Amino acid sequence: LSVCLSVCLSVCLSVCLHLLVCLTGGIAGGIEIMCTFPTEYVKTHMQIDQNEGTRLYKGAIDCVRKTVKDHGVRGLYRGLDVLLYGSIPKSAVRFGAYESAKNFYYPGQVRLSKLQSMTCGLTAGMLEAVFAVCPMETIKVRFIDDRRRKLPEKPRFRGFFHGVSLIVKEEGVRGVYKGLIPTMMKQGSNQAVRFVIYNGLMQWIQGADQTKVVGVIPTFLCGGTAGACSVLFNTPVDVVKTRMQTNANRYRNAWHCTTSMLKEEGALAFYKGIGPRMARVVMDVGLVFVLYSRSIMALDWAFPNWK
């Protein structure tokens, strides 16, 4: 009986600690999105610009200027509630899945090779795409696009829950899963690249001493560099995903969207919004990795054998 109780307590503690990992990742994601949302707002506008055949903005600065002129500074935060609702579970799934994949694939291993980091990152990215990112991104893009309407025309969505219910009512649950394949490709490649670069840089800084504590600024720089690499690698996938989520009826699938954009707008269209996206992702990934690494350090100190 004592052995059974001991095993049960051990399992319960392990589950609770892994849930705590998810929670710390979620908190990090929530703080990050509140700091960086204006860049995400501008990036999305740049990517869907010309989607209806007319170009509204000359560039990122023009987008900011017109938004502030028409709606005030608060206009740069339109749609924040949507991304905030989704950012917390997104980061929770990402880091929880990464730690679980690492413990499942390579139990007891402290340092991962580049291939191992890529495998765990790819797993985490694909899972977050299915369970959090795709619905959140679809709703976010729809909300931002809906609020582009000029007066006196009013936005269709009165709020987050009204918007979600309207999309589901008109298009079914599949309506919030538009662009799932591009989203899985984007998130899978995102996390594969980011964890490989981040872990490689952190290991380079630590050298032979695996227990060396890396400072906040170097950790932020490692995370920011990893984020920048992922932006350069997969911005075209992000643009295709955004276009499909904005105007789902126009494109039959990801390939049709890609070929239509290439034919109508040229190759540079696949890099629309790369400036604002780069700014946001560098801050995003740097900040999240700092917060997350400190949370893991606290868990390692409080529960040395939690993994």
Side-chain angles (χ1 to χ4, degrees):
L1 181 62
S2 61
V3 173
C4 290
L5 288 174
S6 177
V7 170
C8 289
L9 288 173
S10 177
V11 170
C12 290
L13 180 61
S14 177
V15 170
C16 289
L17 289 172
H18 278 84
L19 288 175
L20 186 57
V21 169
C22 294
L23 178 62
T24 55
I27 292 172
I31 294 172
E32 166 269 318
I33 201 61
M34 286 190 288
C35 295
T36 63
F37 183 78
T39 57
E40 174 68 16
Y41 177 89
V42 174
K43 182 268 294 186
T44 303
H45 270 280
M46 296 301 296
Q47 289 181 346
I48 62 180
D49 202 21
Q50 280 191 326
N51 202 28
E52 295 85 10
T54 57
R55 186 169 183 175
L56 300 178
Y57 308 113
K58 298 176 183 178
I61 301 299
D62 187 49
C63 178
V64 173
R65 184 180 61 81
K66 288 182 177 177
T67 299
V68 173
K69 180 181 178 182
D70 294 340
H71 306 284
V73 176
R74 292 181 62 185
L76 295 172
Y77 284 88
R78 291 185 297 168
L80 172 63
D81 53 344
V82 179
L83 210 56
L84 189 59
Y85 289 143
S87 183
I88 294 175
K90 177 185 74 172
S91 294
V93 172
R94 175 192 306 168
F95 288 106
Y98 179 80
E99 290 295 332
S100 297
K102 186 170 70 173
N103 294 333
F104 178 77
Y105 295 141
Y106 316 108
Q109 191 166 328
V110 178
R111 285 193 169 185
L112 302 182
S113 68
K114 290 181 175 60
L115 181 60
Q116 291 170 337
S117 293
M118 183 179 295
T119 302
C120 295
L122 183 64
T123 301
M126 300 283 270
L127 288 174
E128 73 169 342
V130 174
F131 292 107
V133 176
C134 191
M136 176 200 73
E137 287 283 320
T138 302
I139 296 166
K140 177 206 74 176
V141 171
R142 294 285 189 91
F143 266 64
I144 291 178
D145 188 49
D146 181 59
R147 293 173 190 184
R148 283 158 57 96
R149 298 168 184 265
K150 293 186 176 294
L151 296 175
E153 189 178 5
K154 295 182 179 179
R156 296 180 64 223
F157 306 139
R158 295 194 297 270
F160 174 77
F161 295 105
H162 175 256
V164 173
S165 62
L166 195 60
I167 292 171
V168 172
K169 180 180 178 180
E170 293 178 352
E171 304 175 39
V173 176
R174 293 181 61 183
V176 296
Y177 272 93
K178 298 293 185 182
L180 176 61
I181 299 302
T183 303
M184 292 179 68
M185 291 172 60
K186 173 199 168 187
Q187 294 305 123
S189 59
N190 260 350
Q191 305 317 324
V193 170
R194 289 174 187 176
F195 279 107
V196 166
I197 301 296
Y198 173 78
N199 287 336
L201 289 174
M202 292 290 280
Q203 290 173 12
W204 176 71
I205 292 173
Q206 288 178 316
D209 185 6
Q210 299 181 3
T211 61
K212 179 181 178 180
V213 177
V214 181
V216 170
I217 293 177
T219 301
F220 179 86
L221 292 175
C222 289
T225 302
C229 291
S230 69
V231 169
L232 294 173
F233 180 74
N234 72 1
T235 288
V237 178
D238 186 48
V239 174
V240 171
K241 176 222 38 132
T242 301
R243 289 295 184 90
M244 291 185 67
Q245 291 171 338
T246 307
N247 198 340
N249 297 324
R250 182 178 178 184
Y251 305 113
R252 295 190 297 271
N253 49 47
W255 177 249
H256 179 236
C257 179
T258 302
T259 54
S260 297
M261 286 180 60
L262 187 61
K263 180 180 178 181
E264 296 170 8
E265 302 174 52
L268 290 178
F270 294 101
Y271 283 90
K272 281 191 170 186
I274 190 172
R277 185 179 181 225
M278 180 70 77
R280 174 186 177 260
V281 169
V282 167
M283 292 187 289
D284 167 358
V285 181
L287 180 60
V288 167
F289 270 119
V290 166
L291 295 171
Y292 184 70
S293 65
R294 266 46 200 174
S295 300
I296 294 297
M297 286 170 57
L299 283 176
D300 287 339
W301 175 79
F303 307 96
N305 299 316
W306 74 273
K307 296 180 181 179

